[in-house]
Amino acid sequence: MAHTNRLIAGVDLRSQENNRAHRTEEIDRKRLIVRRGQAFSLTVHLSDPLQSGHELALVLKQDKNSDDIVIRQRTAGGSGDKWWLHQQSARNELLLTVYSPARAAVGEYRLAVELMSGNKLLERTDFTKMYLLFNPWCKDDAVYLPDESLLKEYIMNENGRIFTGSADWMNGLPWNFGQFEDNVMDICFEILDRFKPARSDPPNDMLQRWDPVYISRAVVAMVNANDDDGGVLVGKWQEPYTGGVQPTKWMSSVPILEKWSKAKSGVKYGQCWVFAAVACTVLRCLGIPTRCITNFESAHDTDGNLSIDQVYNMHRQSVNHADSIWNFHCWIESYMQREDLPEGYGGWQVLDPTPQERSSGMFRCGPCPLKAIKEGDLNVKFDVPFVFAEVNADIINWEIRPDGQRKQLSSNSAKVGRNISTKSPYSNEREDITFQYKYQEGSAKEREVYNKAGRRISGPDGEEESNPANEPGNVQLEIRYAKPVFGTDFDVIFELENLGDKEVSCKLNMMSKAVTYNSVHLGECQNSTVNVVIPAHKVHRETVRLLYTKYASCVSEHNIIRVIGVAEVSGQEKSILEMVNIPLSKPKLSIKVPGWVILNRKITTFITFTNPLPVPLNRGVFTVEGAGLLSTKEIRISGSIAPGQRVSVELSFTPMRAGVREFLVDFDSDRLQDVKGVATLVVRKTSPSYSSMMPNIFG
């Protein structure tokens, strides 16, 4: 900001210096981006020394509906809840140190410098933009997190892992959060501006923008597009994905946010981990510590009775019911104090942008304190009953008879909410945080909390009374399998063990079907039935080979096969039902990056893929991207890729930011999708010296 024939000749925002001190230089070095509760400095250049009786003041504007914030000098320390500044003179320069309150509204501000004589305005510079974020390094901020190693992960890390698969076979999906990529911060503020309450009542919205509870609820509501509010992502859980991107293809939040900002409408398509990842990007960018969470065997309890009622007909076919168990479900946790709740409910809070149920009229969930979930405090805000059921609900299997009566087949109180996972802040490995959500399964304390939460023993209407306890009989059923690979035939073993003193006769129904990760049935694969006699204290095994030719045509992009065994034992009233979800693993991509990786110097990468299927692949395409490395780029493969054929592509790009970066690759085709690869690159600012290269060459 420069002026002629005025006392104020110009203002230096000192953006690079301030942004470095406020840990925002990764976002931008030219614009002023600071964190609340932490001082920043401006230099005012004067054409002549400041006269006696004259003083400088700063004016901040948020929007046309907000009152101006006038910041004046104070000789002593200012109040912690007010803006104030300290002034130091040096010849024809004034250094202004500006202090913002730790409860200031986050967002975009416009800033000007005024020359005052008493209450009389003599000069005012043009307004320029500055940006204010939450400050988890400030102990007075509601998002303060007193652990630098955690802040490096939950604020500063642009790369991550989101865990998918099944409770028995967990897989870390590489993800580029990209919260510091170009334009992402501006898009985050655009999301807040397009929130319905922000448009309908701007003054009230501005009054609440200091509050991480309000901001986080706004973000998770806006990340999904279910409320006709112009939200970011349109959800779809089953093919076809016409007119959009298959959810498993995404590897980064950045292209999603960019597409939304450009189109001003929901991006097609997302599923739970995509919703969670985008919300994580937005909240980390705004300065709220956030991490992605995966709950394996996640319950969706639609009627609020804390049980998942799975109903089967006499042929052991599933009857549609609103309750379901998802193979996994992803949400986020954000760290904040809860001034709206009694003491003790601060810390990590569950937030879920996946549109499942409404909260205060919008599709969103949380923030919900982990303490409230673990202790079964269902009356605490927000949405504790729904999240409690996701990790604690009992499963009750029912048989519906021709006369409409229902009979309980079995129940399980330990299957839901397994291996609750997040990425470790110290590596790319999985960290198990199940103990933060609930007490040890089967313990007296776990059942005490469940009962406190208000368990309703009764099942669906029209049931027969039965003992809810799931006491095992003399025959037990277990389903075993090795980790299968998509494209191969594999064996599933049904193991029946007779614990009794007499032989028993048993009818064993063995069924397999394709399902999505959220339990939508897509089609039958293979079914068979055998009658067996099991001697006393012996084990009988039946092996079923599942054929690629049978399951290939019906599995979804998630490549999950649900195997169900139902054993009807003579003389035993209840049938035995056992079910497993088997995720089929996929091949890996090979990524090679020879030589050193230097900032602003072109490098070449080599990507290799081999077709593992017994059929050719068509319409092959590689998608690559990486925060600080390159924006999203597609490389299409011409022609078919024959069984066993190896395909290699070469890609050159110029790294844009130094540090540890991840180069992500996805391969998709007509018959095989969601093949991922990742390479970790250390981008150096300069070339290493010859001596430092010696160990790499000769070691």
Side-chain angles (χ1 to χ4, degrees):
M1 299 185 293
H3 303 268
T4 58
N5 301 321
R6 290 188 174 189
L7 182 64
I8 303 176
V11 179
D12 180 4
L13 299 179
R14 305 175 67 160
S15 297
Q16 188 167 339
E17 174 187 334
N18 284 316
N19 292 4
R20 184 181 304 114
H22 286 250
R23 301 173 177 86
T24 62
E25 63 178 342
E26 288 283 322
I27 301 175
D28 202 320
R29 297 187 181 186
K30 295 181 179 179
R31 297 184 293 173
L32 179 60
I33 306 169
V34 292
R35 299 187 185 276
R36 66 187 193 177
Q38 181 177 341
F40 62 95
S41 300
L42 312 175
T43 301
V44 180
H45 300 281
L46 304 175
S47 57
D48 291 298
L50 200 64
Q51 297 179 18
S52 176
H54 290 181
E55 67 171 345
L56 295 182
L58 295 183
V59 177
L60 296 180
K61 291 179 178 288
Q62 273 200 284
D63 69 357
K64 62 183 180 181
N65 298 299
S66 301
D67 295 333
D68 291 353
I69 300 172
V70 180
I71 310 172
R72 298 187 182 278
Q73 177 178 348
R74 298 192 183 183
T75 54
S79 170
D81 61 350
K82 302 290 185 183
W83 290 81
W84 63 284
L85 64 84
H86 177 69
Q87 178 178 305
Q88 290 178 287
S89 301
R91 296 184 181 179
N92 287 0
E93 288 185 351
L94 291 177
L95 177 65
L96 305 183
T97 304
V98 185
Y99 298 85
S100 64
R103 292 167 66 95
V106 299
E108 177 185 305
Y109 289 78
R110 290 183 297 136
L111 176 151
V113 180
E114 293 182 340
L115 176 63
M116 306 291 294
S117 177
N119 292 324
K120 183 179 180 181
L121 175 63
L122 302 179
E123 292 181 24
R124 176 188 281 178
T125 65
D126 294 335
F127 280 92
T128 188
K129 291 180 179 180
M130 63 164 279
Y131 305 85
L132 192 68
L133 303 177
F134 289 100
N135 191 353
W137 287 270
C138 173
K139 63 182 178 61
D140 296 322
D141 197 308
V143 300
Y144 175 59
L145 179 59
D147 189 322
E148 182 64 30
S149 62
L150 297 185
L151 289 170
K152 285 181 179 178
E153 176 68 25
Y154 302 136
I155 291 289
M156 303 302 294
N157 195 354
E158 293 184 84
N159 304 308
R161 296 293 183 273
I162 302 174
F163 291 91
T164 61
S166 72
D168 299 317
W169 302 103
M170 292 167 283
N171 175 56
L173 173 70
W175 194 270
N176 168 25
F177 295 110
Q179 65 267 29
F180 303 140
E181 291 284 81
D182 290 347
N183 304 316
V184 168
M185 181 191 70
D186 302 275
I187 297 171
C188 293
F189 288 137
E190 185 181 353
I191 287 171
L192 296 182
D193 290 340
R194 293 183 64 183
F195 183 44
K196 273 185 177 179
R199 288 181 288 160
S200 62
D201 190 356
N204 185 57
D205 172 71
M206 284 297 170
L207 287 175
Q208 298 187 75
R209 286 211 180 180
W210 70 269
D211 184 4
V213 174
Y214 176 79
I215 293 293
S216 62
R217 278 177 71 74
V219 168
V220 294
M222 280 297 298
V223 165
N224 71 74
N226 279 50
D227 293 307
D228 295 324
D229 54 2
V232 176
L233 264 171
V234 177
K236 199 171 193 300
W237 279 264
Q238 195 171 343
E239 294 179 317
Y241 299 107
T242 307
V245 175
Q246 183 169 291
T248 55
K249 186 177 177 67
W250 298 114
M251 297 182 292
S252 169
S253 307
V254 178
I256 296 171
L257 291 168
E258 290 175 338
K259 285 188 177 186
W260 173 80
S261 180
K262 184 177 180 180
K264 307 301 182 187
S265 62
V267 177
K268 301 176 180 179
Y269 291 103
Q271 292 175 2
C272 71
W273 69 95
V274 187
F275 286 107
V278 171
C280 184
T281 294
V282 174
L283 291 169
R284 283 188 184 181
C285 183
L286 294 175
I288 301 177
T290 303
R291 60 189 185 182
C292 285
I293 307 297
T294 303
N295 177 39
F296 290 96
E297 302 292 344
S298 187
H300 187 178
D301 177 24
T302 57
D303 53 15
N305 68 348
L306 300 185
S307 72
I308 302 301
D309 300 299
Q310 298 184 327
V311 184
Y312 300 87
N313 62 22
M314 296 292 288
H315 303 289
R316 298 302 182 258
Q317 295 170 327
S318 178
V319 177
N320 287 337
H321 196 274
D323 287 353
S324 61
I325 300 290
W326 293 25
N327 225 36
F328 65 89
H329 179 51
C330 297
W331 55 70
I332 58 173
E333 290 174 5
S334 290
Y335 195 90
M336 65 187 75
Q337 297 308 310
R338 293 295 301 272
E339 296 183 22
D340 58 322
L341 296 177
E343 187 176 353
Y345 289 106
W348 289 112
Q349 313 282 319
V350 168
L351 290 148
D352 193 348
T354 299
Q356 298 182 93
E357 303 290 334
R358 293 184 185 272
S359 176
S360 300
M362 300 182 193
F363 280 101
R364 58 183 173 179
C365 179
C368 170
L370 287 198
K371 177 185 176 181
I373 301 167
K374 185 168 184 176
E375 299 299 334
D377 298 333
L378 302 194
N379 293 325
V380 172
K381 296 186 297 186
F382 292 91
D383 310 309
V384 177
F386 186 77
V387 182
F388 182 89
E390 287 184 300
V391 301
N392 283 295
D394 285 359
I395 298 175
I396 304 179
N397 296 307
W398 303 90
E399 177 187 85
I400 184 168
R401 295 178 173 177
D403 61 3
Q405 290 293 310
R406 303 179 191 228
K407 174 185 175 182
Q408 183 177 317
L409 294 175
S410 61
S411 66
N412 191 318
S413 62
K415 185 177 177 63
V416 165
R418 296 175 58 196
N419 298 338
I420 303 175
S421 305
T422 190
K423 175 188 172 297
S424 167
Y426 311 107
S427 70
N428 286 327
E429 298 304 310
R430 187 184 74 89
E431 179 179 330
D432 193 297
I433 58 170
T434 309
F435 71 96
Q436 296 183 24
Y437 280 80
K438 56 184 180 178
Y439 292 96
Q440 181 68 37
E441 287 286 4
S443 67
K445 185 65 175 177
E446 183 264 338
R447 284 291 94 183
E448 176 189 330
V449 169
Y450 184 91
N451 291 326
K452 170 188 172 183
R455 177 184 180 185
R456 302 176 190 174
I457 300 299
S458 60
D461 293 339
E463 74 191 50
E464 288 184 0
E465 292 293 330
S466 59
N467 184 357
N470 187 31
E471 298 179 1
N474 287 334
V475 176
Q476 295 185 3
L477 171 63
E478 187 171 357
I479 302 174
R480 299 180 181 274
Y481 59 95
K483 189 174 184 180
V485 177
F486 181 77
T488 64
D489 302 339
F490 63 95
D491 291 339
V492 177
I493 300 171
F494 295 79
E495 190 173 275
L496 287 162
E497 183 177 7
N498 182 3
L499 302 176
D501 297 325
K502 299 179 180 179
E503 72 173 22
V504 294
S505 299
C506 179
K507 180 181 179 181
L508 177 62
N509 299 290
M510 299 169 287
M511 299 163 280
S512 61
K513 58 186 67 179
V515 296
T516 63
Y517 85 100
N518 62 329
S519 288
V520 176
H521 293 199
L522 299 178
E524 303 291 330
C525 296
Q526 294 172 231
N527 297 327
S528 59
T529 300
V530 295
N531 292 297
V532 299
V533 175
I534 314 169
H537 302 291
K538 295 294 183 179
V539 174
H540 178 85
R541 295 179 179 87
E542 288 288 334
T543 300
V544 174
R545 173 153 293 189
L546 295 183
L547 306 176
Y548 170 73
T549 54
K550 297 288 187 181
Y551 67 73
S553 60
C554 60
V555 292
S556 72
E557 68 276 13
H558 304 107
N559 290 344
I560 298 171
I561 296 178
R562 175 168 294 172
V563 175
I564 301 172
V566 179
E568 300 175 22
V569 183
S570 59
Q572 186 171 309
E573 183 180 359
K574 288 185 178 181
S575 299
I576 307 166
L577 186 148
E578 186 68 23
M579 180 177 70
V580 296
N581 291 321
I582 304 177
L584 309 180
S585 63
K586 298 165 188 173
K588 300 294 184 182
L589 296 172
S590 170
I591 305 171
K592 293 185 178 180
V593 186
W596 298 101
V597 182
I598 310 300
L599 181 67
N600 296 322
R601 185 181 299 178
K602 183 181 287 188
I603 64 169
T604 300
T605 60
F606 300 90
I607 306 166
T608 303
F609 165 76
T610 301
N611 178 9
L613 302 187
V615 293
L617 303 178
N618 296 296
R619 300 191 299 278
V621 57
F622 291 96
T623 305
V624 300
E625 61 182 275
L629 297 175
L630 76 167
S631 56
T632 304
K633 181 180 179 64
E634 287 190 347
I635 306 169
R636 298 191 176 276
I637 306 299
S638 60
S640 297
I641 306 173
Q645 181 180 346
R646 180 180 177 183
V647 176
S648 295
V649 296
E650 181 178 318
L651 175 68
S652 297
F653 60 89
T654 302
M656 300 172 286
R657 288 190 280 142
V660 178
R661 304 290 169 188
E662 287 195 339
F663 178 63
L664 307 182
V665 184
D666 169 82
F667 175 81
D668 293 292
S669 66
D670 60 339
R671 295 175 178 267
L672 181 63
Q673 298 88 34
D674 190 28
V675 180
K676 307 292 187 187
V678 58
T680 300
L681 311 181
V682 179
V683 181
R684 302 171 183 266
K685 293 183 178 180
T686 58
S687 300
S689 64
Y690 179 75
S691 60
S692 69
M693 294 174 64
M694 294 289 285
N696 293 320
I697 296 175
F698 300 107

Coordinates of all heavy atoms in Angstrom, one line a residue, residues 52-108:
S52 N 3.2 15.7 17.2 CA 2.6 15.5 18.5 C 1.1 15.7 18.4 O 0.6 16.5 17.7 CB 3.1 16.6 19.4 OG 2.5 16.6 20.7
G53 N 0.4 14.8 19.0 CA -1.1 14.8 19.0 C -1.6 13.9 17.9 O -2.9 13.7 17.8
H54 N -0.8 13.4 17.0 CA -1.2 12.5 16.0 C -0.9 11.1 16.4 O 0.1 10.8 17.1 CB -0.5 12.8 14.7 CG -0.9 14.1 14.0 ND1 -0.4 14.5 12.8 CD2 -1.8 15.1 14.4 CE1 -1.0 15.7 12.5 NE2 -1.8 16.1 13.5
E55 N -1.8 10.2 16.0 CA -1.5 8.8 16.3 C -2.1 7.9 15.1 O -2.9 8.4 14.4 CB -2.2 8.4 17.6 CG -3.7 8.4 17.6 CD -4.4 7.8 18.8 OE1 -3.7 7.1 19.5 OE2 -5.6 8.0 19.0
L56 N -1.5 6.7 15.1 CA -2.0 5.8 14.1 C -2.9 4.7 14.7 O -2.8 4.4 15.9 CB -0.8 5.0 13.4 CG 0.2 5.9 12.6 CD1 1.3 5.0 12.1 CD2 -0.5 6.6 11.5
A57 N -3.8 4.3 13.9 CA -4.8 3.2 14.3 C -5.0 2.3 13.1 O -4.7 2.7 11.9 CB -6.1 3.8 14.7
L58 N -5.3 1.1 13.4 CA -5.7 0.1 12.4 C -7.2 -0.1 12.3 O -7.8 -0.1 13.4 CB -5.0 -1.3 12.6 CG -3.5 -1.3 12.5 CD1 -3.0 -2.8 12.7 CD2 -3.0 -0.8 11.2
V59 N -7.7 -0.3 11.2 CA -9.1 -0.6 11.0 C -9.3 -1.9 10.3 O -8.7 -2.1 9.2 CB -9.9 0.5 10.2 CG1 -11.3 0.2 10.0 CG2 -9.8 1.9 10.9
L60 N -10.1 -2.8 10.9 CA -10.4 -4.1 10.3 C -11.8 -4.2 9.9 O -12.7 -3.8 10.7 CB -10.0 -5.2 11.3 CG -8.5 -5.4 11.7 CD1 -8.4 -6.6 12.6 CD2 -7.7 -5.6 10.5
K61 N -12.1 -4.7 8.8 CA -13.5 -5.0 8.3 C -13.6 -6.5 8.0 O -12.7 -7.0 7.3 CB -13.9 -4.2 7.1 CG -14.0 -2.7 7.3 CD -14.3 -2.0 6.0 CE -14.5 -0.5 6.2 NZ -15.8 -0.2 6.9
Q62 N -14.7 -7.1 8.4 CA -14.9 -8.5 8.0 C -15.8 -8.6 6.8 O -15.5 -9.3 5.8 CB -15.5 -9.3 9.2 CG -14.4 -9.9 10.0 CD -14.9 -11.1 10.9 OE1 -15.6 -10.9 11.9 NE2 -14.5 -12.3 10.5
D63 N -16.9 -8.0 6.9 CA -17.8 -7.9 5.7 C -18.7 -6.6 5.9 O -18.6 -5.9 6.9 CB -18.7 -9.2 5.6 CG -19.7 -9.3 6.7 OD1 -19.8 -8.5 7.6 OD2 -20.5 -10.3 6.6
K64 N -19.5 -6.4 4.9 CA -20.3 -5.2 4.9 C -21.3 -5.1 6.0 O -21.8 -4.1 6.4 CB -21.1 -5.0 3.6 CG -22.0 -6.1 3.2 CD -22.7 -6.0 1.9 CE -23.6 -7.1 1.6 NZ -24.2 -7.0 0.2
N65 N -21.6 -6.3 6.6 CA -22.6 -6.3 7.7 C -22.0 -6.2 9.1 O -22.7 -6.2 10.1 CB -23.4 -7.6 7.6 CG -24.2 -7.8 6.3 OD1 -25.1 -7.0 6.1 ND2 -23.9 -8.8 5.6
S66 N -20.7 -6.2 9.2 CA -20.0 -6.2 10.4 C -19.5 -4.7 10.8 O -19.2 -4.0 9.9 CB -18.8 -7.1 10.4 OG -19.2 -8.4 10.2
D67 N -19.5 -4.4 12.0 CA -18.9 -3.1 12.5 C -17.4 -3.2 12.3 O -16.8 -4.2 12.4 CB -19.3 -2.9 13.9 CG -20.8 -2.7 14.2 OD1 -21.5 -2.3 13.2 OD2 -21.2 -3.0 15.3
D68 N -16.9 -2.0 12.0 CA -15.4 -1.9 11.9 C -14.8 -2.2 13.3 O -15.3 -1.9 14.4 CB -15.0 -0.5 11.5 CG -15.4 -0.1 10.1 OD1 -15.9 -1.0 9.4 OD2 -15.2 1.0 9.7
I69 N -13.6 -2.8 13.2 CA -12.8 -3.0 14.4 C -11.7 -2.0 14.4 O -10.8 -2.1 13.5 CB -12.2 -4.5 14.5 CG1 -13.3 -5.5 14.5 CG2 -11.3 -4.7 15.7 CD1 -12.9 -6.9 14.3
V70 N -11.7 -1.1 15.3 CA -10.6 -0.1 15.4 C -9.6 -0.5 16.4 O -10.0 -0.7 17.6 CB -11.2 1.3 15.7 CG1 -10.1 2.4 15.7 CG2 -12.3 1.7 14.6
I71 N -8.3 -0.6 16.0 CA -7.3 -1.0 16.9 C -6.4 0.1 17.2 O -5.8 0.7 16.3 CB -6.5 -2.2 16.3 CG1 -7.4 -3.3 15.7 CG2 -5.5 -2.8 17.3 CD1 -6.7 -4.3 14.9
R72 N -6.3 0.5 18.5 CA -5.5 1.6 18.9 C -4.3 1.2 19.8 O -4.3 0.1 20.3 CB -6.3 2.7 19.6 CG -7.4 3.2 18.7 CD -8.2 4.4 19.4 NE -9.3 4.9 18.7 CZ -9.1 5.8 17.7 NH1 -7.9 6.3 17.3 NH2 -10.2 6.2 17.0
Q73 N -3.4 2.1 19.9 CA -2.2 1.8 20.7 C -2.5 1.8 22.2 O -3.4 2.6 22.7 CB -1.1 2.8 20.5 CG 0.2 2.6 21.3 CD 1.2 3.7 21.0 OE1 1.2 4.4 20.1 NE2 2.3 3.7 21.9
R74 N -1.9 0.9 22.9 CA -1.9 0.8 24.4 C -0.5 0.8 25.0 O 0.3 0.1 24.5 CB -2.7 -0.4 24.9 CG -4.2 -0.4 24.4 CD -5.0 -1.4 25.1 NE -6.4 -1.4 24.5 CZ -7.3 -2.2 25.0 NH1 -7.1 -3.0 26.0 NH2 -8.5 -2.2 24.5
T75 N -0.3 1.6 26.0 CA 1.1 1.7 26.5 C 1.4 0.5 27.4 O 2.5 0.0 27.5 CB 1.2 3.0 27.4 OG1 0.2 3.0 28.4 CG2 1.1 4.2 26.5
A76 N 0.3 0.0 28.1 CA 0.5 -1.3 28.8 C -0.2 -2.4 28.1 O -0.8 -2.2 27.0 CB -0.2 -1.1 30.2
G77 N 0.0 -3.6 28.5 CA -0.6 -4.8 27.9 C -2.1 -4.7 27.8 O -2.8 -4.2 28.7
G78 N -2.6 -5.0 26.6 CA -4.0 -4.9 26.4 C -4.8 -6.1 27.0 O -4.2 -7.1 27.5
S79 N -6.1 -6.0 26.9 CA -7.0 -7.0 27.4 C -6.9 -8.2 26.4 O -6.8 -8.0 25.2 CB -8.4 -6.5 27.5 OG -9.3 -7.6 27.7
G80 N -7.0 -9.4 27.0 CA -6.9 -10.6 26.1 C -8.0 -10.8 25.2 O -8.0 -11.6 24.3
D81 N -9.2 -10.1 25.5 CA -10.3 -10.3 24.6 C -10.5 -9.2 23.6 O -11.6 -9.0 23.0 CB -11.6 -10.5 25.5 CG -11.9 -9.3 26.4 OD1 -11.0 -8.4 26.4 OD2 -13.0 -9.3 27.0
K82 N -9.5 -8.3 23.5 CA -9.6 -7.1 22.6 C -8.4 -7.1 21.7 O -7.3 -7.5 22.0 CB -9.7 -5.8 23.4 CG -10.9 -5.7 24.4 CD -12.2 -5.6 23.7 CE -13.3 -5.4 24.7 NZ -14.7 -5.4 24.0
W83 N -8.6 -6.5 20.5 CA -7.5 -6.2 19.6 C -6.8 -5.0 20.2 O -7.4 -4.0 20.7 CB -8.0 -5.9 18.2 CG -8.6 -7.0 17.4 CD1 -9.8 -7.5 17.5 CD2 -7.9 -7.7 16.4 NE1 -10.0 -8.5 16.6 CE2 -8.9 -8.7 15.9 CE3 -6.6 -7.7 15.8 CZ2 -8.5 -9.6 14.9 CZ3 -6.3 -8.6 14.8 CH2 -7.3 -9.5 14.3
W84 N -5.5 -5.0 20.1 CA -4.7 -3.8 20.5 C -3.4 -3.8 19.8 O -3.0 -4.8 19.2 CB -4.5 -3.7 22.0 CG -3.8 -4.8 22.7 CD1 -4.2 -6.1 22.9 CD2 -2.4 -4.8 23.2 NE1 -3.2 -6.8 23.5 CE2 -2.1 -6.0 23.7 CE3 -1.5 -3.8 23.2 CZ2 -0.9 -6.3 24.3 CZ3 -0.2 -4.0 23.8 CH2 0.0 -5.3 24.4
L85 N -2.6 -2.7 19.9 CA -1.3 -2.7 19.2 C -0.4 -1.9 20.0 O -0.7 -1.0 20.9 CB -1.5 -2.1 17.8 CG -1.9 -0.6 17.6 CD1 -0.7 0.4 17.7 CD2 -2.5 -0.5 16.2
H86 N 0.9 -2.2 19.8 CA 2.0 -1.4 20.4 C 2.8 -0.8 19.3 O 3.0 -1.4 18.2 CB 2.9 -2.4 21.2 CG 4.1 -1.8 21.8 ND1 4.0 -0.8 22.9 CD2 5.4 -1.9 21.6 CE1 5.2 -0.4 23.2 NE2 6.1 -1.0 22.4
Q87 N 3.3 0.4 19.5 CA 4.0 1.2 18.5 C 5.4 1.5 18.9 O 5.6 1.9 20.0 CB 3.2 2.5 18.2 CG 3.7 3.4 17.2 CD 2.8 4.6 17.1 OE1 1.6 4.5 16.8 NE2 3.4 5.8 17.2
Q88 N 6.3 1.3 18.0 CA 7.7 1.7 18.2 C 8.2 2.6 17.0 O 7.9 2.3 15.8 CB 8.6 0.5 18.3 CG 8.5 -0.3 19.5 CD 9.4 -1.6 19.5 OE1 9.1 -2.5 18.8 NE2 10.4 -1.5 20.3
S89 N 8.9 3.7 17.3 CA 9.3 4.6 16.3 C 10.8 4.4 15.9 O 11.6 4.1 16.8 CB 9.1 6.1 16.7 OG 7.8 6.3 17.0
A90 N 11.1 4.6 14.7 CA 12.5 4.5 14.2 C 12.6 5.4 13.0 O 12.3 5.0 11.9 CB 12.9 3.1 13.9
R91 N 13.1 6.7 13.2 CA 13.1 7.7 12.2 C 11.8 7.8 11.5 O 10.8 8.2 12.2 CB 14.2 7.3 11.1 CG 15.6 7.3 11.7 CD 16.7 7.0 10.6 NE 18.0 7.0 11.2 CZ 19.1 6.7 10.5 NH1 19.0 6.5 9.2 NH2 20.3 6.7 11.1
N92 N 11.7 7.6 10.2 CA 10.4 7.8 9.5 C 9.7 6.5 9.4 O 8.9 6.3 8.4 CB 10.6 8.5 8.2 CG 11.0 9.9 8.3 OD1 11.0 10.5 9.4 ND2 11.2 10.6 7.2
E93 N 9.9 5.6 10.3 CA 9.2 4.3 10.3 C 8.6 4.0 11.6 O 9.1 4.4 12.7 CB 10.1 3.1 9.9 CG 10.6 3.1 8.5 CD 11.4 1.9 8.2 OE1 11.8 1.1 9.2 OE2 11.8 1.6 7.0
L94 N 7.4 3.4 11.6 CA 6.8 2.9 12.8 C 6.5 1.4 12.7 O 6.0 0.9 11.7 CB 5.4 3.6 13.0 CG 5.5 5.1 13.3 CD1 4.0 5.7 13.4 CD2 6.2 5.4 14.6
L95 N 7.0 0.7 13.7 CA 6.7 -0.7 13.8 C 5.5 -0.9 14.7 O 5.5 -0.6 15.9 CB 7.9 -1.5 14.4 CG 7.7 -3.0 14.6 CD1 7.6 -3.7 13.3 CD2 8.9 -3.6 15.4
L96 N 4.5 -1.5 14.1 CA 3.2 -1.8 14.8 C 3.2 -3.2 15.1 O 3.2 -4.1 14.2 CB 2.0 -1.3 14.0 CG 1.9 0.1 13.5 CD1 0.6 0.3 12.7 CD2 2.1 1.1 14.6
T97 N 3.1 -3.6 16.4 CA 2.9 -5.0 16.8 C 1.5 -5.1 17.2 O 1.0 -4.5 18.1 CB 3.8 -5.3 18.0 OG1 5.2 -5.1 17.6 CG2 3.7 -6.8 18.3
V98 N 0.8 -6.0 16.5 CA -0.7 -6.1 16.6 C -1.0 -7.4 17.4 O -0.5 -8.5 17.1 CB -1.4 -6.1 15.2 CG1 -2.9 -6.1 15.4 CG2 -0.9 -4.9 14.4
Y99 N -1.9 -7.3 18.3 CA -2.3 -8.4 19.2 C -3.8 -8.7 18.9 O -4.7 -7.8 19.1 CB -2.1 -8.1 20.6 CG -0.7 -7.9 21.0 CD1 -0.1 -6.6 20.8 CD2 0.1 -8.9 21.5 CE1 1.2 -6.4 21.2 CE2 1.5 -8.7 21.8 CZ 2.0 -7.4 21.6 OH 3.3 -7.2 22.0
S100 N -4.1 -9.9 18.5 CA -5.5 -10.3 18.3 C -6.0 -11.2 19.5 O -5.2 -11.9 20.0 CB -5.6 -11.1 17.0 OG -4.9 -12.3 17.1
P101 N -7.2 -11.1 19.8 CA -7.8 -12.0 20.9 C -7.8 -13.4 20.4 O -8.0 -13.7 19.3 CB -9.1 -11.4 21.2 CG -9.5 -10.7 19.9 CD -8.3 -10.2 19.3
A102 N -7.7 -14.3 21.4 CA -7.7 -15.7 21.1 C -9.1 -16.2 20.8 O -9.3 -17.4 20.4 CB -7.2 -16.6 22.3
R103 N -10.1 -15.3 20.9 CA -11.5 -15.6 20.5 C -12.0 -14.8 19.4 O -13.2 -14.7 19.1 CB -12.4 -15.4 21.7 CG -12.2 -16.4 22.9 CD -12.9 -15.9 24.2 NE -14.4 -15.9 24.0 CZ -15.1 -16.9 24.4 NH1 -14.6 -18.0 24.9 NH2 -16.5 -16.8 24.2
A104 N -11.0 -14.2 18.6 CA -11.4 -13.5 17.4 C -12.0 -14.4 16.4 O -11.7 -15.6 16.3 CB -10.2 -12.8 16.8
A105 N -12.9 -13.8 15.6 CA -13.6 -14.6 14.5 C -12.5 -14.9 13.4 O -11.7 -14.0 13.0 CB -14.7 -13.7 13.9
V106 N -12.5 -16.1 13.0 CA -11.6 -16.5 11.9 C -12.2 -16.1 10.6 O -13.4 -16.0 10.4 CB -11.3 -18.0 11.9 CG1 -10.6 -18.4 13.2 CG2 -12.6 -18.8 11.7
G107 N -11.3 -15.9 9.6 CA -11.8 -15.5 8.3 C -11.0 -14.5 7.6 O -9.9 -14.2 8.0
E108 N -11.6 -13.9 6.5 CA -10.9 -12.9 5.8 C -11.3 -11.5 6.3 O -12.4 -11.2 6.6 CB -11.4 -13.0 4.3 CG -10.8 -11.9 3.4 CD -11.3 -11.9 2.0 OE1 -11.2 -13.0 1.4 OE2 -11.9 -10.9 1.5

